[in-house]
Amino acid sequence: MFHDSFPGNLFAALRCSQFIKQFFPKIKIAFGGGYCNTELRSLNDPRIFDFVDFISLDDGEGPLLKIVEYLNGNVGKDELERTFILENHLVVYKNKTPNTIYHHRDLPAPDYSGLPFDKYLSFLDVVNPMHRMWTDYRWNKLTISHGCYWKQCTFCDVNLDYISNYQITTAVDLANKIEQIIEQTGITGFHFVDEAAPPKILRALSEELILRKLKITWWTNIRFEKTFSLELCELMAKSGCIAVTGGLEVASDRLLAKMKKGVDVGQVARVTNNFSKHNILVHAYLMFGFPTETEQETIDSLEIVRQLFEQNCIQSAYWHQFTTTIHSPIGKNPQDFGIKITGPIFKGFAENDLFHEDPTGANHPKYSKGLNKALNSYLNKSGFEKEMQDWFEFSVPATSHSKDLIEKSLV
Ligand code: SF4
């Protein structure tokens, strides 16, 4: 079974499948995970089944169990759940209902025993501190919650199960799982791979870890919401939290409201400052090119990012250019966001990223180079004194923000 989360994993997964099919033709291959869940929901091109036998959607436990039962000859094809197969040269979606559902709190700890950790390579390919954490070293992966408790952001896949189906467990259950995984792997570093870890359970988990004197190092993805007080950040740091990642997106209150992000710039400054004061590294996901975003807003957003680095509220960040996806509220109702979808034409395989025209927004792609240049400099704690114009090879407006906007919002 391959779990491929991102389009970048697909080619490697297909090459592995090709190898297995060629040399071990009796082995059956199933694909599932993020890439399939988002991109392959309308699959009807049979060619992928030259490499794979099953493609399942959404949570994998139920579908995988049925696939195993089917391969053992205990059930027929029609008992498969949320799974594409090839039948008479046609792609067929088998989905026996009601589905076999496992609630998040009833799932056992993931089992990592037997993995050859001593053979893992250490990657030190980028200078970005957070990207290094993602790719370097071995972290035990665990989810605190399933889905997202917020599930409102207009650019996000809020219509899909992996975001919309929010389920939580208890701190005691999580601490038990953490103890089991340490026993299996001997590794005490944990990456909680949540869409957005809820602050309430992070508090309870921190208290439980401290109570059990369980010494671990952990990091996770959060929303920069005001519940992360100085006191909560201190508690998290004491329990072993070393880093958080979260979406600041476009640092503009007008656009954050359009995104339904549920935060504003002042709040992000205060919350990230709370983490940083307790030496928890903060990585911000940044976005440019949101529908209707003007040139002035892009420059002002960069100025906010500059000030957040200068004030040591954030230590790491990365720019993504906005893309409309088919499962997001913007993709479903582009006219409400002032854009027009222009393609691509679906050809039977992947369907997720859409092309769009943004008649009132800036010419977004041309800012990419300058934004990245500035960010790389701020990451290295330099270039704070430069004017916005210095980062771009074409004329840009000066920022409309005062130089002490973030500093003022921290008092
Ligand atoms: S972008 Fe993050 S916080 Fe917003 S709905 Fe998606 S997962 Fe939740």
Side-chain angles (χ1 to χ4, degrees):
M1 170 88 181
F2 290 104
H3 175 290
D4 52 321
S5 296
F6 296 105
N9 302 132
L10 180 66
F11 183 67
L14 287 173
R15 289 294 296 210
C16 293
S17 312
Q18 189 183 40
F19 180 87
I20 293 168
K21 286 279 168 212
Q22 194 177 347
F23 295 105
F24 307 93
K26 284 194 179 140
I27 294 179
K28 296 291 176 194
I29 300 172
F31 276 12
Y35 177 79
C36 304
N37 297 344
T38 50
E39 309 245 0
L40 302 186
R41 304 190 82 86
S42 306
L43 181 70
N44 62 33
D45 186 333
R47 287 174 294 174
I48 185 140
F49 288 95
D50 292 345
F51 305 97
V52 56
D53 302 286
F54 307 95
I55 296 175
S56 74
L57 300 183
D58 302 328
D59 285 351
E61 293 88 359
L64 202 49
L65 182 70
K66 289 294 163 191
I67 289 170
V68 172
E69 285 178 0
Y70 166 67
L71 292 175
N72 285 339
N74 297 334
V75 299
K77 273 183 198 166
D78 292 336
E79 298 292 312
L80 293 172
E81 297 178 12
R82 299 197 304 277
T83 300
F84 289 107
I85 57 167
L86 200 63
E87 220 174 32
N88 304 324
H89 309 290
L90 289 175
V91 180
V92 183
Y93 186 58
K94 298 283 182 188
N95 190 15
K96 172 87 191 299
T97 51
N99 284 175
T100 313
I101 304 286
Y102 295 96
H103 193 281
H104 184 62
R105 68 173 168 261
D106 299 327
L107 292 175
D111 188 346
Y112 297 116
S113 52
L115 288 178
F117 288 123
D118 56 326
K119 294 205 175 106
Y120 279 36
L121 294 176
S122 175
F123 283 102
L124 218 180
D125 54 347
V126 279
V127 289
N128 182 304
M130 203 69 214
H131 285 211
R132 186 173 168 198
M133 282 183 68
W134 270 310
T135 52
D136 198 6
Y137 196 60
R138 309 171 303 259
W139 299 94
N140 295 315
K141 306 278 180 181
L142 186 66
T143 42
I144 290 174
S145 59
H146 178 290
C148 172
Y149 66 97
W150 177 252
K151 49 182 154 181
Q152 291 190 49
C153 302
T154 53
F155 59 84
C156 180
D157 290 339
V158 295
N159 298 303
L160 294 185
D161 185 85
Y162 82 98
I163 300 289
S164 66
N165 184 4
Y166 175 62
Q167 298 171 6
I168 190 69
T169 183
T170 62
V172 170
D173 175 49
L174 285 166
N176 289 343
K177 285 175 180 164
I178 288 170
E179 283 178 343
Q180 278 179 43
I181 296 172
I182 295 174
E183 213 162 284
Q184 287 164 16
T185 62
I187 294 168
T188 54
F190 281 80
H191 178 197
F192 300 130
V193 287
D194 284 55
E195 302 302 333
K200 222 170 148 184
I201 189 82
L202 287 180
R203 174 182 289 281
L205 177 63
S206 302
E207 285 167 348
E208 187 65 25
L209 292 171
I210 293 168
L211 190 76
R212 294 190 191 194
K213 297 192 174 55
L214 203 50
K215 297 257 180 290
I216 66 164
T217 305
W218 61 272
W219 54 291
T220 191
N221 191 46
I222 55 148
R223 294 179 58 244
F224 294 128
E225 62 163 277
K226 57 179 182 296
T227 326
F228 289 106
S229 61
L230 203 55
E231 180 264 329
L232 176 54
C233 294
E234 184 181 7
L235 183 75
M236 287 166 62
K238 274 190 185 151
S239 75
C241 177
I242 55 161
V244 290
T245 57
L248 167 56
E249 321 304 351
V250 186
S252 144
D253 286 343
R254 178 184 84 89
L255 294 172
L256 283 165
K258 269 182 104 69
M259 284 175 203
K260 293 204 186 159
K261 194 73 203 167
V263 299
D264 59 43
V265 170
Q267 183 180 314
V268 170
R270 285 184 291 278
V271 167
T272 52
N273 190 45
N274 290 345
F275 282 114
S276 300
K277 278 199 165 152
H278 289 289
N279 292 321
I280 296 174
L281 183 142
V282 182
H283 172 92
Y285 296 104
L286 305 172
M287 185 191 281
F288 68 101
F290 191 79
T292 72
E293 180 175 341
T294 62
E295 178 172 44
Q296 185 70 55
E297 283 168 328
T298 302
I299 296 301
D300 285 348
S301 177
L302 177 59
E303 169 63 12
I304 300 270
V305 170
R306 183 192 74 77
Q307 294 187 26
L308 286 170
F309 271 98
E310 194 177 37
Q311 294 295 321
N312 195 34
C313 293
I314 61 176
Q315 296 76 35
S316 175
Y318 193 80
W319 291 106
H320 301 260
Q321 186 175 340
F322 167 82
T323 310
T324 315
T325 62
I326 201 162
H327 308 294
S328 67
I330 298 178
K332 297 238 178 281
N333 296 300
Q335 66 289 347
D336 295 353
F337 296 86
I339 59 168
K340 198 172 153 224
I341 302 299
T342 55
I345 295 164
F346 179 58
K347 292 193 177 146
F349 186 60
E351 187 184 39
N352 193 41
D353 291 359
L354 303 173
F355 308 145
H356 72 269
E357 270 168 17
D358 183 3
T360 57
N363 172 8
H364 306 299
K366 73 173 185 175
Y367 296 91
S368 172
K369 198 171 161 198
L371 291 172
N372 282 310
K373 222 160 118 186
L375 187 63
N376 280 334
S377 186
Y378 302 155
L379 272 168
N380 290 302
K381 299 192 185 346
S382 69
F384 295 131
E385 70 299 339
K386 287 196 179 185
E387 294 300 326
M388 292 292 115
Q389 181 60 66
D390 297 341
W391 304 113
F392 297 89
E393 286 158 4
F394 50 91
S395 175
V396 297
T399 177
S400 66
H401 289 317
S402 67
K403 295 274 175 204
D404 56 358
L405 184 99
I406 296 298
E407 198 181 345
K408 273 194 184 145
S409 65
L410 295 178
V411 286

